[in-house]
Amino acid sequence: MTVSIPSSVQPQAYNTKPGVGSAIETVTEKTPKLFTPITTKSVTLHNRVVVPPMCMYSATDGFANDFHLGHYASIALKGPAMVIVEATAVEPRGRLSRDDLGLWSDDQIAPLKRVADFIKSQGSVPAIQIAHGGRKANMASLWTEGGYRLHSEQEGGWPNDIVGPSDLSFDDNHGKPKALSVTELKELAQKWADAAVRADKAGFQVLEIHSAHGYLLHNFLSANSNKRTDQYGGSLENRLRFPLEVVQAVRTVWPEHKPLWVRFSGTDFKTPDVLGRDETGWDIYQAIEYAKALKKIGVDVIDVSAGGNIPVENYPVGPLYQVPLAEAVKREAGIATGAVGIITEPKDAEAILKEGKADYVLLGREYLRSTNWVYRAAQELGVPVQWPNQYARANREKYLSKKL
């Protein structure tokens, strides 16, 4: 694969032949599936490990800074095939927190391009998630003084400009949203499309639309949060309408040769059974219909998560607890999926792929705890992989018997 060298990264810092985390030996039927490449349109991932978007709450006015470059560089150097930059707001009031990234302005392209360029320079695929917080917007980060709470206007918040499908708050700790008008919905769909154009200009090769975790698009999908009585509420067809309009607007402007992902929650967890029914809210059976509609529009991969839309005291958390959702979507909608949810062991990740439950495994918090996870997985599964040239002497398996 020929890789163009971005001007912001010096050639001697490149690690693309092969990319970091690639299997060094020829891939055969015996190669663990975790270390086999996968191609979607023009983009090839050299293994199946994806680092999903995780908010860092470290931006100012939506602009990426040196923290973001250092953070994403540290991940890319450790071999995942794709790194998805955190939820990036399509408008200022769509930020989950005052300190979130944004792509509502052309001025925000250049700082993000530095991040995309570096990820690409290590052989990983740079991706970004665009988002709108909906009724859960304007909340402070956990380490802000006072903890997780509404930002006040005095500290740069917008407590009186929170929006959603209805005027129903998530809970007493969150702000009361105002219901968006049909005119505002049309304007918002265009803002998603505009952000997608900027993501392309910033050099991202994959785009993900955030439709999960109780944020705006999820608010519309679920009858637990959508109480509208117009064409955007009520029946499943109506509740899907605005999210599908957004995805269609993005697909129209996002380059056809670049993959488009959507992350959605497969259930609101009104019932602790991950595959339980919630016909008057949101469950995996409605989510499958959403996935079928997304596939028709031209979405390539569904990143299947869960929850976040209603207060739930006890999620049924445990290793691999969300994997059945990805498996159901893949089987019933006939679309590629990514599995998430406490995937920590290489053998489990390999089993998910080998058994056809998903096409990708996404490791979030586990990657923050253990950024060398790909190297650990390679060792446990017996696959020699490429290390960054600059770190090669730390590869004991390769250099232990050599004179240094």
Side-chain angles (χ1 to χ4, degrees):
M1 180 178 66
T2 301
V3 179
S4 58
I5 298 176
S7 59
S8 62
V9 184
Q10 295 301 310
Q12 61 268 31
Y14 253 56
N15 288 295
T16 60
K17 297 179 180 179
V20 178
S22 299
I24 295 174
E25 298 176 351
T26 301
V27 174
T28 69
E29 292 182 356
K30 295 183 178 180
T31 304
K33 206 165 183 67
L34 190 63
F35 288 97
T36 59
I38 183 169
T39 298
T40 305
K41 294 184 173 175
S42 65
V43 175
T44 298
L45 276 63
H46 59 248
N47 60 44
R48 304 300 182 93
V49 181
V50 175
V51 177
M54 292 176 282
C55 289
M56 293 290 109
Y57 308 110
S58 298
T60 301
D61 296 326
F63 283 84
N65 53 48
D66 288 350
F67 170 83
H68 299 92
L69 179 61
H71 167 63
Y72 290 108
S74 70
I75 292 173
L77 281 163
K78 295 302 180 71
M82 187 166 81
V83 181
I84 309 178
V85 170
E86 64 204 77
T88 302
V90 301
E91 67 169 355
R93 68 178 177 178
R95 288 172 290 172
L96 319 184
S97 158
R98 173 200 63 191
D99 305 317
D100 279 7
L101 289 175
L103 258 180
W104 61 79
S105 167
D106 288 350
D107 293 337
Q108 292 162 333
I109 295 173
L112 282 169
K113 188 175 188 304
R114 294 179 66 210
V115 174
D117 285 353
F118 191 88
I119 293 171
K120 189 175 181 181
S121 75
Q122 302 309 301
S124 290
V125 172
I128 191 169
Q129 182 189 74
I130 52 175
H132 193 295
R135 67 177 186 165
K136 289 173 70 176
N138 190 48
M139 299 300 291
S141 63
L142 293 174
W143 65 84
T144 303
E145 184 177 356
Y148 189 65
R149 55 173 176 77
L150 277 172
H151 282 302
S152 67
E153 289 184 347
Q154 290 72 24
E155 57 186 356
W158 53 100
N160 299 313
D161 197 19
I162 297 168
V163 297
S166 311
D167 62 357
L168 182 65
S169 301
F170 176 76
D171 62 15
D172 293 340
N173 194 39
H174 289 74
K176 186 174 180 62
K178 60 180 181 181
L180 289 158
S181 69
V182 172
T183 298
E184 288 175 311
L185 293 180
K186 303 300 182 185
E187 294 171 348
L188 258 179
Q190 184 59 51
K191 290 179 180 179
W192 285 80
D194 293 343
V197 170
R198 295 185 183 106
D200 178 46
K201 291 179 179 178
F204 291 99
Q205 295 175 275
V206 174
L207 183 69
E208 178 172 88
I209 295 173
H210 200 349
S211 183
H213 301 163
Y215 301 127
L216 185 64
L217 298 188
H218 189 176
N219 297 161
F220 273 86
L221 293 170
S222 173
N224 290 319
S225 48
N226 183 348
K227 303 301 180 181
R228 296 176 77 101
T229 57
D230 63 3
Q231 68 267 41
Y232 291 101
S235 67
L236 177 60
E237 180 183 3
N238 284 357
R239 285 183 279 119
L240 296 182
R241 192 181 309 279
F242 177 60
L244 292 177
E245 287 177 354
V246 167
V247 177
Q248 181 63 72
V250 170
R251 181 68 273 181
T252 299
V253 300
W254 184 246
E256 182 58 36
H257 68 279
K258 290 186 175 184
L260 178 63
W261 288 37
V262 169
R263 166 169 272 199
F264 66 54
S265 288
T267 175
D268 277 357
F269 278 128
K270 188 181 284 186
T271 167
D273 179 0
V274 69
L275 298 178
R277 290 192 176 274
D278 178 14
E279 295 173 352
T280 59
W282 185 250
D283 57 23
I284 185 58
Y285 308 100
Q286 297 173 77
I288 288 168
E289 296 307 309
Y290 182 36
K292 291 177 181 177
L294 291 171
K295 182 181 178 181
K296 288 181 181 178
I297 289 176
V299 170
D300 300 290
V301 180
I302 306 293
D303 170 5
V304 189
S305 188
N309 194 48
I310 58 174
V312 176
E313 291 186 6
N314 295 303
Y315 279 95
V317 295
L320 316 181
Y321 77 110
Q322 295 180 61
V323 174
L325 297 169
E327 181 182 12
V329 170
K330 178 177 171 64
R331 180 182 65 247
E332 301 299 329
I335 191 169
T337 62
V340 308
I342 314 184
I343 302 170
T344 61
E345 298 302 319
K347 62 179 177 56
D348 290 334
E350 174 65 13
I352 290 167
L353 299 168
K354 193 171 183 179
E355 294 168 14
K357 295 178 178 179
D359 303 274
Y360 307 84
V361 290
L362 286 80
L363 284 77
R365 294 178 178 89
E366 179 63 16
Y367 225 92
L368 296 182
R369 286 187 289 267
S370 178
T371 56
N372 68 339
W373 192 91
V374 167
Y375 302 146
R376 174 191 153 204
Q379 185 176 42
E380 291 186 16
L381 297 176
V383 182
V385 297
Q386 181 69 26
W387 283 49
N389 295 323
Q390 298 85 349
Y391 293 2
R393 285 160 65 105
N395 184 353
R396 290 188 176 186
E397 289 186 325
K398 183 175 181 180
Y399 286 94
L400 196 60
S401 61
K402 294 185 177 183
K403 279 190 173 183
L404 303 178

